[in-house]
PDB file of all heavy atoms in Angstrom:
ATOM      1  N   ASN A   1     -74.054  14.418 -79.891  1.00 65.00           N
ATOM      2  CA  ASN A   1     -73.300  13.502 -79.025  1.00 65.00           C
ATOM      3  C   ASN A   1     -72.722  12.319 -79.802  1.00 65.00           C
ATOM      4  O   ASN A   1     -72.712  11.190 -79.310  1.00 65.00           O
ATOM      5  CB  ASN A   1     -74.173  13.026 -77.867  1.00 65.00           C
ATOM      6  CG  ASN A   1     -73.325  12.493 -76.726  1.00 65.00           C
ATOM      7  OD1 ASN A   1     -72.161  12.866 -76.565  1.00 65.00           O
ATOM      8  ND2 ASN A   1     -73.907  11.634 -75.915  1.00 65.00           N
ATOM      9  N   SER A   2     -72.252  12.566 -81.012  1.00 67.00           N
ATOM     10  CA  SER A   2     -71.684  11.472 -81.804  1.00 67.00           C
ATOM     11  C   SER A   2     -70.204  11.679 -82.116  1.00 67.00           C
ATOM     12  O   SER A   2     -69.625  10.918 -82.871  1.00 67.00           O
ATOM     13  CB  SER A   2     -72.463  11.310 -83.111  1.00 67.00           C
ATOM     14  OG  SER A   2     -72.367  12.478 -83.890  1.00 67.00           O
ATOM     15  N   VAL A   3     -69.602  12.737 -81.546  1.00 71.00           N
ATOM     16  CA  VAL A   3     -68.168  12.970 -81.725  1.00 71.00           C
ATOM     17  C   VAL A   3     -67.571  13.126 -80.350  1.00 71.00           C
ATOM     18  O   VAL A   3     -68.042  13.960 -79.575  1.00 71.00           O
ATOM     19  CB  VAL A   3     -67.908  14.239 -82.569  1.00 71.00           C
ATOM     20  CG1 VAL A   3     -66.427  14.533 -82.655  1.00 71.00           C
ATOM     21  CG2 VAL A   3     -68.513  14.098 -83.948  1.00 71.00           C
ATOM     22  N   PRO A   4     -66.592  12.395 -79.962  1.00 79.00           N
ATOM     23  CA  PRO A   4     -65.967  11.262 -80.645  1.00 79.00           C
ATOM     24  C   PRO A   4     -66.933  10.080 -80.763  1.00 79.00           C
ATOM     25  O   PRO A   4     -68.001  10.090 -80.179  1.00 79.00           O
ATOM     26  CB  PRO A   4     -64.764  10.910 -79.767  1.00 79.00           C
ATOM     27  CG  PRO A   4     -65.060  11.476 -78.432  1.00 79.00           C
ATOM     28  CD  PRO A   4     -66.007  12.624 -78.646  1.00 79.00           C
ATOM     29  N   ALA A   5     -66.513   9.093 -81.504  1.00 82.00           N
ATOM     30  CA  ALA A   5     -67.376   7.954 -81.822  1.00 82.00           C
ATOM     31  C   ALA A   5     -67.952   7.330 -80.553  1.00 82.00           C
ATOM     32  O   ALA A   5     -67.230   7.080 -79.594  1.00 82.00           O
ATOM     33  CB  ALA A   5     -66.599   6.908 -82.600  1.00 82.00           C
ATOM     34  N   PRO A   6     -69.274   7.077 -80.549  1.00 84.00           N
ATOM     35  CA  PRO A   6     -69.893   6.459 -79.371  1.00 84.00           C
ATOM     36  C   PRO A   6     -69.267   5.118 -78.987  1.00 84.00           C
ATOM     37  O   PRO A   6     -69.203   4.781 -77.807  1.00 84.00           O
ATOM     38  CB  PRO A   6     -71.351   6.285 -79.797  1.00 84.00           C
ATOM     39  CG  PRO A   6     -71.581   7.328 -80.834  1.00 84.00           C
ATOM     40  CD  PRO A   6     -70.267   7.452 -81.560  1.00 84.00           C
ATOM     41  N   ALA A   7     -68.776   4.360 -79.967  1.00 85.00           N
ATOM     42  CA  ALA A   7     -68.150   3.071 -79.658  1.00 85.00           C
ATOM     43  C   ALA A   7     -66.879   3.255 -78.831  1.00 85.00           C
ATOM     44  O   ALA A   7     -66.490   2.352 -78.092  1.00 85.00           O
ATOM     45  CB  ALA A   7     -67.815   2.328 -80.950  1.00 85.00           C
ATOM     46  N   CYS A   8     -66.259   4.415 -78.934  1.00 84.00           N
ATOM     47  CA  CYS A   8     -65.043   4.696 -78.158  1.00 84.00           C
ATOM     48  C   CYS A   8     -65.359   5.237 -76.772  1.00 84.00           C
ATOM     49  O   CYS A   8     -64.485   5.276 -75.907  1.00 84.00           O
ATOM     50  CB  CYS A   8     -64.164   5.701 -78.906  1.00 84.00           C
ATOM     51  SG  CYS A   8     -63.437   5.068 -80.416  1.00 84.00           S
ATOM     52  N   ARG A   9     -66.593   5.685 -76.551  1.00 83.00           N
ATOM     53  CA  ARG A   9     -66.963   6.271 -75.269  1.00 83.00           C
ATOM     54  C   ARG A   9     -67.832   5.368 -74.423  1.00 83.00           C
ATOM     55  O   ARG A   9     -67.664   5.284 -73.218  1.00 83.00           O
ATOM     56  CB  ARG A   9     -67.725   7.586 -75.495  1.00 83.00           C
ATOM     57  CG  ARG A   9     -66.890   8.685 -76.062  1.00 83.00           C
ATOM     58  CD  ARG A   9     -67.696   9.935 -76.298  1.00 83.00           C
ATOM     59  NE  ARG A   9     -68.638   9.697 -77.397  1.00 83.00           N
ATOM     60  CZ  ARG A   9     -69.924   9.995 -77.354  1.00 83.00           C
ATOM     61  NH1 ARG A   9     -70.453  10.527 -76.302  1.00 83.00           N
ATOM     62  NH2 ARG A   9     -70.699   9.749 -78.392  1.00 83.00           N
ATOM     63  N   ASP A  10     -68.785   4.710 -75.037  1.00 83.00           N
ATOM     64  CA  ASP A  10     -69.778   3.934 -74.293  1.00 83.00           C
ATOM     65  C   ASP A  10     -69.145   2.712 -73.636  1.00 83.00           C
ATOM     66  O   ASP A  10     -68.498   1.906 -74.292  1.00 83.00           O
ATOM     67  CB  ASP A  10     -70.919   3.492 -75.214  1.00 83.00           C
ATOM     68  CG  ASP A  10     -71.674   4.670 -75.805  1.00 83.00           C
ATOM     69  OD1 ASP A  10     -71.532   5.790 -75.276  1.00 83.00           O
ATOM     70  OD2 ASP A  10     -72.398   4.469 -76.804  1.00 83.00           O
ATOM     71  N   GLY A  11     -69.358   2.596 -72.343  1.00 82.00           N
ATOM     72  CA  GLY A  11     -68.868   1.440 -71.608  1.00 82.00           C
ATOM     73  C   GLY A  11     -67.444   1.578 -71.093  1.00 82.00           C
ATOM     74  O   GLY A  11     -66.901   0.630 -70.521  1.00 82.00           O
ATOM     75  N   PHE A  12     -66.810   2.708 -71.297  1.00 84.00           N
ATOM     76  CA  PHE A  12     -65.442   2.925 -70.823  1.00 84.00           C
ATOM     77  C   PHE A  12     -65.449   3.946 -69.699  1.00 84.00           C
ATOM     78  O   PHE A  12     -66.268   4.867 -69.690  1.00 84.00           O
ATOM     79  CB  PHE A  12     -64.535   3.419 -71.960  1.00 84.00           C
ATOM     80  CG  PHE A  12     -64.309   2.400 -73.041  1.00 84.00           C
ATOM     81  CD1 PHE A  12     -65.021   2.466 -74.233  1.00 84.00           C
ATOM     82  CD2 PHE A  12     -63.409   1.365 -72.860  1.00 84.00           C
ATOM     83  CE1 PHE A  12     -64.832   1.535 -75.224  1.00 84.00           C
ATOM     84  CE2 PHE A  12     -63.210   0.426 -73.855  1.00 84.00           C
ATOM     85  CZ  PHE A  12     -63.923   0.508 -75.039  1.00 84.00           C
ATOM     86  N   ASP A  13     -64.515   3.786 -68.777  1.00 84.00           N
ATOM     87  CA  ASP A  13     -64.437   4.736 -67.669  1.00 84.00           C
ATOM     88  C   ASP A  13     -63.841   6.058 -68.174  1.00 84.00           C
ATOM     89  O   ASP A  13     -63.164   6.098 -69.202  1.00 84.00           O
ATOM     90  CB  ASP A  13     -63.611   4.156 -66.517  1.00 84.00           C
ATOM     91  CG  ASP A  13     -62.197   3.843 -66.930  1.00 84.00           C
ATOM     92  OD1 ASP A  13     -61.989   2.796 -67.592  1.00 84.00           O
ATOM     93  OD2 ASP A  13     -61.304   4.634 -66.594  1.00 84.00           O
ATOM     94  N   PRO A  14     -64.085   7.156 -67.459  1.00 85.00           N
ATOM     95  CA  PRO A  14     -63.610   8.476 -67.906  1.00 85.00           C
ATOM     96  C   PRO A  14     -62.091   8.554 -68.085  1.00 85.00           C
ATOM     97  O   PRO A  14     -61.607   9.281 -68.950  1.00 85.00           O
ATOM     98  CB  PRO A  14     -64.076   9.427 -66.806  1.00 85.00           C
ATOM     99  CG  PRO A  14     -65.253   8.744 -66.189  1.00 85.00           C
ATOM    100  CD  PRO A  14     -64.951   7.271 -66.279  1.00 85.00           C
ATOM    101  N   ALA A  15     -61.331   7.814 -67.279  1.00 83.00           N
ATOM    102  CA  ALA A  15     -59.872   7.845 -67.416  1.00 83.00           C
ATOM    103  C   ALA A  15     -59.422   7.244 -68.750  1.00 83.00           C
ATOM    104  O   ALA A  15     -58.439   7.685 -69.341  1.00 83.00           O
ATOM    105  CB  ALA A  15     -59.226   7.083 -66.265  1.00 83.00           C
ATOM    106  N   THR A  16     -60.164   6.255 -69.236  1.00 81.00           N
ATOM    107  CA  THR A  16     -59.806   5.618 -70.503  1.00 81.00           C
ATOM    108  C   THR A  16     -60.071   6.536 -71.679  1.00 81.00           C
ATOM    109  O   THR A  16     -59.255   6.640 -72.592  1.00 81.00           O
ATOM    110  CB  THR A  16     -60.598   4.306 -70.689  1.00 81.00           C
ATOM    111  OG1 THR A  16     -60.333   3.444 -69.593  1.00 81.00           O
ATOM    112  CG2 THR A  16     -60.217   3.606 -71.975  1.00 81.00           C
ATOM    113  N   ILE A  17     -61.190   7.237 -71.657  1.00 80.00           N
ATOM    114  CA  ILE A  17     -61.557   8.065 -72.811  1.00 80.00           C
ATOM    115  C   ILE A  17     -60.983   9.481 -72.743  1.00 80.00           C
ATOM    116  O   ILE A  17     -61.167  10.250 -73.676  1.00 80.00           O
ATOM    117  CB  ILE A  17     -63.093   8.120 -72.988  1.00 80.00           C
ATOM    118  CG1 ILE A  17     -63.772   8.732 -71.784  1.00 80.00           C
ATOM    119  CG2 ILE A  17     -63.634   6.763 -73.302  1.00 80.00           C
ATOM    120  CD1 ILE A  17     -65.259   8.941 -71.960  1.00 80.00           C
ATOM    121  N   GLN A  18     -60.256   9.801 -71.682  1.00 84.00           N
ATOM    122  CA  GLN A  18     -59.680  11.130 -71.571  1.00 84.00           C
ATOM    123  C   GLN A  18     -58.654  11.354 -72.684  1.00 84.00           C
ATOM    124  O   GLN A  18     -57.790  10.524 -72.927  1.00 84.00           O
ATOM    125  CB  GLN A  18     -59.014  11.318 -70.217  1.00 84.00           C
ATOM    126  CG  GLN A  18     -58.478  12.708 -70.028  1.00 84.00           C
ATOM    127  CD  GLN A  18     -58.470  13.098 -68.576  1.00 84.00           C
ATOM    128  OE1 GLN A  18     -58.745  12.295 -67.708  1.00 84.00           O
ATOM    129  NE2 GLN A  18     -58.148  14.352 -68.327  1.00 84.00           N
ATOM    130  N   GLY A  19     -58.763  12.454 -73.347  1.00 84.00           N
ATOM    131  CA  GLY A  19     -57.834  12.803 -74.408  1.00 84.00           C
ATOM    132  C   GLY A  19     -58.129  12.116 -75.726  1.00 84.00           C
ATOM    133  O   GLY A  19     -57.286  12.084 -76.624  1.00 84.00           O
ATOM    134  N   LEU A  20     -59.320  11.583 -75.880  1.00 86.00           N
ATOM    135  CA  LEU A  20     -59.703  10.885 -77.116  1.00 86.00           C
ATOM    136  C   LEU A  20     -59.735  11.889 -78.266  1.00 86.00           C
ATOM    137  O   LEU A  20     -60.353  12.944 -78.176  1.00 86.00           O
ATOM    138  CB  LEU A  20     -61.076  10.253 -76.923  1.00 86.00           C
ATOM    139  CG  LEU A  20     -61.585   9.312 -77.989  1.00 86.00           C
ATOM    140  CD1 LEU A  20     -60.656   8.122 -78.143  1.00 86.00           C
ATOM    141  CD2 LEU A  20     -62.972   8.833 -77.632  1.00 86.00           C
ATOM    142  N   SER A  21     -59.023  11.585 -79.353  1.00 84.00           N
ATOM    143  CA  SER A  21     -58.968  12.535 -80.464  1.00 84.00           C
ATOM    144  C   SER A  21     -59.708  12.047 -81.705  1.00 84.00           C
ATOM    145  O   SER A  21     -60.404  12.814 -82.353  1.00 84.00           O
ATOM    146  CB  SER A  21     -57.527  12.861 -80.831  1.00 84.00           C
ATOM    147  OG  SER A  21     -56.868  11.717 -81.329  1.00 84.00           O
ATOM    148  N   HIS A  22     -59.563  10.779 -82.061  1.00 85.00           N
ATOM    149  CA  HIS A  22     -60.232  10.264 -83.258  1.00 85.00           C
ATOM    150  C   HIS A  22     -60.264   8.735 -83.201  1.00 85.00           C
ATOM    151  O   HIS A  22     -59.861   8.141 -82.213  1.00 85.00           O
ATOM    152  CB  HIS A  22     -59.546  10.747 -84.537  1.00 85.00           C
ATOM    153  CG  HIS A  22     -58.148  10.277 -84.713  1.00 85.00           C
ATOM    154  ND1 HIS A  22     -57.068  10.822 -84.035  1.00 85.00           N
ATOM    155  CD2 HIS A  22     -57.632   9.297 -85.485  1.00 85.00           C
ATOM    156  CE1 HIS A  22     -55.961  10.208 -84.389  1.00 85.00           C
ATOM    157  NE2 HIS A  22     -56.265   9.272 -85.259  1.00 85.00           N
ATOM    158  N   HIS A  23     -60.748   8.130 -84.273  1.00 87.00           N
ATOM    159  CA  HIS A  23     -60.787   6.663 -84.345  1.00 87.00           C
ATOM    160  C   HIS A  23     -60.260   6.210 -85.698  1.00 87.00           C
ATOM    161  O   HIS A  23     -60.170   6.988 -86.646  1.00 87.00           O
ATOM    162  CB  HIS A  23     -62.211   6.144 -84.124  1.00 87.00           C
ATOM    163  CG  HIS A  23     -63.125   6.433 -85.269  1.00 87.00           C
ATOM    164  ND1 HIS A  23     -63.804   7.611 -85.391  1.00 87.00           N
ATOM    165  CD2 HIS A  23     -63.453   5.700 -86.355  1.00 87.00           C
ATOM    166  CE1 HIS A  23     -64.523   7.607 -86.489  1.00 87.00           C
ATOM    167  NE2 HIS A  23     -64.331   6.452 -87.112  1.00 87.00           N
ATOM    168  N   ARG A  24     -59.899   4.932 -85.760  1.00 89.00           N
ATOM    169  CA  ARG A  24     -59.493   4.298 -87.020  1.00 89.00           C
ATOM    170  C   ARG A  24     -60.299   3.016 -87.150  1.00 89.00           C
ATOM    171  O   ARG A  24     -60.373   2.224 -86.209  1.00 89.00           O
ATOM    172  CB  ARG A  24     -58.007   3.930 -87.010  1.00 89.00           C
ATOM    173  CG  ARG A  24     -57.078   5.107 -86.982  1.00 89.00           C
ATOM    174  CD  ARG A  24     -55.654   4.648 -87.076  1.00 89.00           C
ATOM    175  NE  ARG A  24     -55.317   3.837 -85.912  1.00 89.00           N
ATOM    176  CZ  ARG A  24     -54.167   3.875 -85.261  1.00 89.00           C
ATOM    177  NH1 ARG A  24     -53.221   4.677 -85.669  1.00 89.00           N
ATOM    178  NH2 ARG A  24     -53.942   3.116 -84.215  1.00 89.00           N
TER     179      ARG A  24
END
């Protein structure tokens, strides 16, 4: 459960993280 980055998923609603591909 570490892909995508937890910082990009934790605390965000599902609509925000939908389609998340990577991080910079």
Side-chain angles (χ1 to χ4, degrees):
N1 200 25
S2 62
V3 175
C8 292
R9 292 178 291 132
D10 298 343
F12 293 100
D13 61 282
T16 302
I17 61 174
Q18 183 151 7
L20 189 60
S21 65
H22 64 283
H23 71 274
R24 293 184 297 220

